[in-house]
Amino acid sequence: QVQLVESGGGLVQGGDSLRLSCAASGGTFSSYALAWFRQAPGKEREFVSAIDRTFGKYYSDSVKGRFSVSRDNAQNTVYLQMDSLKPEDTAVYYCAVRIGVSNRPAAYDNWGQGTQVSVSS
């Protein structure tokens, strides 16, 4: 079982940047795909970004060009650099891990506890 711990959330103004981190322990980190999802109040959890074991990167249309995902296999950590933040980016952000990348929340069994990102206008 892989344990995931997110950090880096906070309250920022529109146009600002944040970098989220997700540290993993247990398992073979380099063999996993890592994904970021987010969930706003009253909404379903939605895919944000993912990076597979070959460093292929995937983004939702809503964040493409503003967010950037990366991973450091030596540190067992995945990052989400979020630039040009908008109020509609406000949500709890979760990282998740599996063998093989997917943009469906139901495909993931291992989740972190989430970190709150709030963007004011």
Side-chain angles (χ1 to χ4, degrees):
Q1 189 80 356
V2 179
Q3 286 78 47
L4 303 169
V5 179
E6 301 98 333
S7 61
L11 173 62
V12 297
Q13 292 186 336
D16 286 351
S17 298
L18 279 175
R19 189 176 81 153
L20 305 184
S21 300
C22 175
S25 59
T28 306
F29 183 82
S30 61
S31 67
Y32 296 129
L34 284 302
W36 289 96
F37 291 82
R38 66 187 181 187
Q39 189 165 19
K43 296 189 176 181
E44 294 186 351
R45 193 166 296 190
E46 65 172 0
F47 173 77
V48 175
S49 181
I51 185 167
D52 64 27
R53 63 183 183 89
T54 65
F55 294 81
K57 300 179 181 182
Y58 308 84
Y59 299 97
S60 68
D61 289 342
S62 62
V63 307
K64 198 173 296 182
R66 300 188 298 120
F67 290 12
S68 178
V69 64
S70 60
R71 65 189 295 166
D72 184 340
N73 288 345
Q75 298 295 325
N76 287 359
T77 301
V78 61
Y79 303 98
L80 185 67
Q81 177 67 41
M82 305 186 296
D83 297 325
S84 302
L85 282 161
K86 304 175 181 180
E88 51 264 44
D89 294 318
T90 295
V92 177
Y93 283 71
Y94 299 90
C95 66
V97 62
R98 71 187 303 272
I99 301 294
V101 70
S102 173
N103 63 359
R104 297 182 303 111
Y108 292 81
D109 292 328
N110 290 314
W111 294 85
Q113 83 288 351
T115 186
Q116 176 71 47
V117 172
S118 299
V119 184
S120 63
S121 56

